[in-house]
C-alpha cells in the first residue's frame, strides 16, 4: 500500500495537444485509485479491492480527469475501459507508484533490515533449478521483504524490466537491451529431449552433433526457435519446427503423446529426465547463457540488493552441484567493462 499522501508535479504530454504540456497537481491516492479501476475494468470491483465506497472512488477519478483536462476512462454498461490517455497514464502511473513504494521502503529500512517489495522475473527452467529454495530462504532471512515472482519467457521478462514492473530479471543474454545492465550468471547446455520409444540416437547423455536436428520434428518455444534459426543460418542443420509452444506444460504433454522432440535446457524437464520418463543428450555447440539484469536508470534498493546477493550464492552452489549441465559464465556488461578499462588505465 502506498502511504505517501503528498502531491507531486507531473508533465503529461498528449498527442492531441502536440504543442502544449500540462502542469497538474496529482496526489498518489487518486493515481492509485485510477490504476486499480483501470486494471479491474470496473468501478465497483475496484471499490471493493481498495476498500472505499463507489461514489468516493468515482469522485476521485473525475477530479483527476478534470485536473488533467482529458478523459481517462470510458464508461459503458459492462464497466469501464481506459482511453488512449488512460492507457498512457496507466503505464506511467504504475511505475510512479512502484518507485514511491520503493523510496518509502528504503527510508523506513535505513539502519534496519531490508524491507519492501522486490519483483523478480525468470524463465520456467530457472524455477526448477533454485527458485523454490530462494523463496524459502528469503522468507526466513528477510521476513520484511515481499518477493514478487514472475515466471515467463525471456522477452516477457525483458519487457517487464523495461516497464518497471520488476526490479531484477534472469534471462538469456540473447534478450539483452541497451537500457538494461547485466551480470553474468551461468551457461547451460541445450539438450535434445524425447521419449524412450522414439530415441534412436545411441547412448543417452552422450553428446550429439547438432546435425542430428536435420529435419527432426521439433516442438520449441518462440525464443528457442529464434536461437536455433541463428545456428541454422550458420549451416549447422536444417530446422523442421512442428509448432511453437510457449508453455512447458504443453511441451511436456506433446512429448508424452509422441508428437516430436524438444530442444531445451535440461533443467526444464529435470524431474522427467532423472526418473527416466524422458531421455535426452546435450547438443554440441548449443548452449544458453543466463544473466541477471536490471534497469540502468533505476538503482537497486537495499531489498533488491539483498535478493541479488542470494541469487548469486544460489548460482555458485548450482555450478558446483550440477556441473554436468551448469557452468559459470565469465561475461560482463560491455558498458561496465569499458568503465573498468578507463579507470584502470588512469590508475597506471
Amino acid at each position: 500500500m502506498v502511504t505517501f499522501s503528498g502531491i507531486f508535479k507531473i508533465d503529461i504530454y498528449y498527442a492531441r495537444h502536440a504543442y502544449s504540456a500540462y502542469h497538474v497537481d496529482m496526489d498518489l491516492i487518486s493515481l492509485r485509485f485510477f490504476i486499480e479501476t483501470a486494471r479491474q475494468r470496473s468501478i465497483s470491483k475496484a471499490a471493493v479491492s481498495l476498500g472505499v465506497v463507489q461514489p468516493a472512488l468515482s469522485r476521485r477519478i473525475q477530479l483527476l480527469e478534470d485536473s488533467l483536462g482529458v478523459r481517462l476512462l470510458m464508461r459503458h454498461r459492462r464497466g469501464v475501459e481506459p482511453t488512449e490517455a488512460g492507457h498512457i497514464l496507466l503505464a506511467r502511473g504504475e511505475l510512479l507508484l512502484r518507485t514511491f513504494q520503493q523510496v518509502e521502503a528504503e527510508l523506513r529500512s535505513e539502519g534496519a533490515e531490508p524491507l519492501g517489495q522486490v519483483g523478480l522475473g525468470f524463465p520456467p527452467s530457472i524455477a526448477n533449478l533454485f527458485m523454490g529454495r530462494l523463496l524459502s530462504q528469503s522468507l526466513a532471512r528477510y521476513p520484511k521483504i515481499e518477493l514478487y515472482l514472475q515466471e515467463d519467457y525471456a522477452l516477457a521478462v525483458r519487457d517487464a524490466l523495461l516497464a518497471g514492473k520488476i526490479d531484477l530479471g534472469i534471462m538469456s543474454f540473447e534478450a539483452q537491451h541497451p537500457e538494461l545492465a547485466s551480470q553474468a550468471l551461468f551457461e547451460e547446455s541445450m539438450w535434445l529431449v524425447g521419449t524412450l520409444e522414439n530415441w534412436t540416437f545411441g547412448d543417452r547423455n552422450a553428446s550429439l552433433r547438432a546435425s542430428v536436428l536435420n529435419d527432426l520434428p521439433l516442438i520449441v518455444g518462440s525464443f528457442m526457435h529464434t536461437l536455433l534459426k541463428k545456428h541454422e543460418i550458420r549451416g549447422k542443420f536444417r530446422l523442421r519446427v512442428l509448432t511453437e509452444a510457449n508453455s512447458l506444460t504443453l511441451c511436456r504433454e506433446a512429448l508424452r503423446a509422441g508428437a516430436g522432440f524438444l530442444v531445451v535446457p535440461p533443467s526444464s524437464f529435470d524431474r522427467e529426465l532423472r526418473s527416466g520418463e524422458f531421455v535426452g543428450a546435450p547438443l554440441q555447440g548449443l548452449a544458453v547463457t543466463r544473466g541477471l539484469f536490471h534497469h540502468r536508470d533505476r538503482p537497486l534498493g537495499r531489498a533488491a540488493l539483498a535478493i541479488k546477493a542470494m541469487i548469486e550464492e544460489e548460482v555458485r552452489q548450482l555450478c558446483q552441484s550440477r556441473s554436468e549441465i551448469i557452468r559459470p559464465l565469465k561475461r560482463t556488461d560491455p558498458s561496465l567493462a569499458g568503465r573498468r578499462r578507463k579507470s584502470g588505465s588512469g590508475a597506471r
Side-chain angles (χ1 to χ4, degrees):
M1 177 179 292
V2 178
T3 55
F4 276 91
S5 58
I7 293 177
F8 62 94
K9 293 281 188 179
I10 182 171
D11 290 339
I12 294 183
Y13 174 83
Y14 187 49
R16 291 186 307 175
H17 304 274
Y19 299 100
S20 64
Y22 296 103
H23 287 280
V24 298
D25 291 331
M26 184 189 302
D27 67 278
L28 292 175
I29 295 176
S30 294
L31 181 60
R32 179 168 174 257
F33 281 12
F34 161 74
I35 289 173
E36 187 63 22
T37 304
R39 286 174 178 167
Q40 298 278 359
R41 299 296 199 270
S42 167
I43 291 178
S44 59
K45 290 181 181 179
V48 172
S49 174
L50 294 165
V52 299
V53 295
Q54 289 188 44
L57 176 58
S58 297
R59 180 60 178 162
R60 281 275 189 175
I61 294 175
Q62 182 63 58
L63 289 173
L64 185 58
E65 290 178 323
D66 291 345
S67 177
L68 293 172
V70 294
R71 179 72 64 85
L72 298 173
L73 296 172
M74 292 294 294
R75 283 77 169 171
H76 50 72
R77 288 181 296 177
R78 298 184 303 277
V80 296
E81 188 71 27
T83 62
E84 182 181 351
H87 280 293
I88 294 172
L89 183 59
L90 178 61
R92 304 294 190 273
E94 286 179 322
L95 179 57
L96 281 171
L97 283 182
R98 183 171 174 77
T99 300
F100 273 99
Q101 287 174 324
Q102 291 174 333
V103 169
E104 182 185 29
E106 283 291 292
L107 294 175
R108 290 183 181 277
S109 67
E110 186 68 26
E113 61 181 304
L115 63 83
Q117 187 183 84
V118 177
L120 171 62
F122 51 89
S125 60
I126 298 297
N128 295 336
L129 286 174
F130 62 79
M131 205 51 63
R133 289 195 307 275
L134 180 72
L135 177 59
S136 175
Q137 292 173 14
S138 68
L139 290 171
R141 193 181 303 179
Y142 303 113
K144 294 184 179 180
I145 292 180
E146 180 184 349
L147 196 55
Y148 164 74
L149 302 178
Q150 177 180 328
E151 179 184 284
D152 216 325
Y153 288 87
L155 296 180
V157 172
R158 182 184 69 184
D159 290 345
L161 281 169
L162 293 173
K165 295 180 178 179
I166 57 176
D167 306 287
L168 297 165
I170 301 173
M171 61 185 193
S172 167
F173 274 97
E174 295 288 339
Q176 63 188 343
H177 188 279
E179 294 181 21
L180 301 179
S182 62
Q183 173 185 336
L185 289 180
F186 61 88
E187 179 180 70
E188 187 173 6
S189 302
M190 301 306 301
W191 280 36
L192 178 67
V193 175
T195 58
L196 187 59
E197 292 76 15
N198 63 10
W199 191 262
T200 60
F201 306 103
D203 293 340
R204 285 175 282 174
N205 299 325
S207 62
L208 302 172
R209 293 181 181 274
S211 57
V212 302
L213 298 179
N214 279 337
D215 297 322
L216 201 65
L218 299 177
I219 303 166
V220 296
S222 57
F223 188 69
M224 184 57 60
H225 194 180
T226 301
L227 292 181
L228 291 175
K229 278 184 176 179
K230 292 182 179 180
H231 288 280
E232 182 186 31
I233 292 171
R234 296 170 190 159
K236 290 194 173 185
F237 46 75
R238 294 185 305 275
L239 272 180
R240 180 188 168 199
V241 175
L242 298 179
T243 187
E244 287 187 1
N246 290 322
S247 164
L248 286 188
T249 300
L250 180 56
C251 288
R252 182 183 296 110
E253 295 308 311
L255 201 60
R256 285 171 175 163
F261 295 86
L262 304 175
V263 177
V264 291
S267 56
S268 299
F269 295 97
D270 188 61
R271 186 180 296 109
E272 291 83 359
L273 287 166
R274 285 173 177 262
S275 69
E277 180 185 4
F278 294 164
V279 295
L283 292 161
Q284 297 175 11
L286 296 182
V288 61
T289 56
R290 306 290 194 191
L292 184 60
F293 294 77
H294 70 274
H295 203 288
R296 295 184 188 279
D297 296 334
R298 300 177 199 133
L300 296 176
R302 291 182 62 214
L305 288 172
I307 297 301
K308 178 176 177 287
M310 293 186 69
I311 293 172
E312 293 166 350
E313 179 57 32
E314 283 290 341
V315 170
R316 280 192 291 270
Q317 294 179 14
L318 194 65
C319 290
Q320 295 174 358
S321 62
R322 300 298 305 276
S323 58
E324 73 280 6
I325 61 171
I326 303 293
R327 297 175 295 277
L329 181 62
K330 294 182 179 179
R331 180 171 179 169
T332 58
D333 185 328
S335 66
L336 295 178
R339 286 199 287 271
R340 291 192 191 100
R341 284 194 296 270
K342 290 179 181 178
S343 61
S345 61
R348 291 189 186 96

